Amino acid sequence: MADKPEDGAIIGDSKSLGEEREHISAIYRMTSDIAHQLEKARIAEYAQLLTRPWKLIWTNLLAGLARGVGIAIGFTFFAATIIYFLQALGALNLPIIGDYIADIVRIVQRQLELS
């Protein structure tokens, strides 16, 4: 009869082992999910960038230059399109609007000649 309590103890231990394995697998899944999310967020790259301030400054300088050039090119196309439509409206010889548009076109053309 002494063997039976030991068998019961072993069975009880196997249940707790099963529960522990479930807990460990759940923890493993959660940590792997967190690691995957951190990789997607590129936290490691951001932390490395913060440890090198000169690289951060260089990256931001290039980004600012690219934005400035993009804005300048975009505004040039936008202004050219507006001037083109104003010239087309001026050619229609609308009484009041045509004179106003013609004045604007003349001003712009003078500025272009001065440049």
Side-chain angles (χ1 to χ4, degrees):
M1 291 213 147
D3 291 331
K4 287 187 179 181
E6 290 176 12
D7 291 341
I10 292 173
I11 292 171
D13 287 340
S14 66
K15 286 183 182 179
S16 64
L17 282 176
E19 289 175 4
E20 285 181 24
R21 285 183 181 161
E22 288 178 21
H23 289 298
I24 290 173
S25 65
I27 291 171
Y28 175 75
R29 278 188 305 246
M30 286 191 286
T31 53
S32 64
D33 287 342
I34 291 170
H36 182 68
Q37 289 173 357
L38 287 175
E39 286 178 14
K40 281 176 63 177
R42 297 179 141 185
I43 298 293
E45 292 176 13
Y46 181 69
Q48 286 178 352
L49 190 63
L50 289 178
T51 59
R52 294 194 246 155
W54 287 110
K55 184 171 182 176
L56 180 65
I57 291 170
W58 178 249
T59 304
N60 285 330
L61 179 69
L62 288 178
L65 286 173
R67 282 189 200 104
V69 169
I71 289 170
I73 291 172
F75 182 74
T76 301
F77 283 123
F78 178 73
T81 305
I82 295 295
I83 291 171
Y84 175 76
F85 285 122
L86 288 177
Q87 284 179 342
L89 283 175
L92 294 176
N93 291 328
L94 298 173
I96 298 171
I97 299 173
D99 293 335
Y100 179 70
I101 293 171
D103 289 339
I104 293 173
V105 170
R106 274 191 233 113
I107 291 169
V108 171
Q109 286 177 344
R110 283 189 202 135
Q111 289 296 324
L112 289 175
E113 290 172 1
L114 293 175
S115 297

